[in-house]
Amino acid sequence: MTTEPARIDERLLERVRKLAAARNCSVDEILQQALDRLEPPTAPGESVIGLFADQPELADKLIEDVYQTRESSQLRGGRS
């Protein structure tokens, strides 16, 4: 693992340390979790729609089928 020195405000660092202690993990793990939440998916396959990135017609048909199924399903709000 490579490390790089960083300047972090002492108050911010203390907050991160307290959060890490409360969650029984390291400061590195807290930072990794924060980055994972902040970074959007980068690869098309990281989302369901991204799986169909190279097949837009199929994606359109799939979405249309989902909407039609939801409208006709009896699971919607107790419709009969």
Side-chain angles (χ1 to χ4, degrees):
M1 175 169 65
T2 308
T3 60
E4 183 176 323
R7 291 186 195 184
I8 300 176
D9 179 88
E10 191 60 39
R11 291 177 297 180
L12 179 60
L13 184 56
E14 187 57 33
R15 286 177 59 198
V16 173
R17 286 179 178 151
K18 285 180 182 178
L19 186 57
R23 294 182 178 217
N24 296 317
C25 62
S26 69
V27 169
D28 285 352
E29 289 171 311
I30 291 293
L31 294 174
Q32 185 62 53
Q33 290 173 19
L35 288 173
D36 289 346
R37 288 182 157 200
L38 292 172
E39 289 179 336
T42 55
E46 290 185 17
S47 70
V48 174
I49 297 299
L51 295 173
F52 299 96
D54 59 343
Q55 300 176 16
E57 295 86 12
L58 181 58
D60 289 344
K61 287 180 184 179
L62 177 66
I63 291 170
E64 183 179 338
D65 184 57
V66 168
Y67 284 132
Q68 288 175 353
T69 301
R70 284 188 68 202
E71 287 297 320
S72 63
S73 173
Q74 292 185 3
L75 298 176
R76 283 194 72 154
R79 289 184 184 174
S80 38

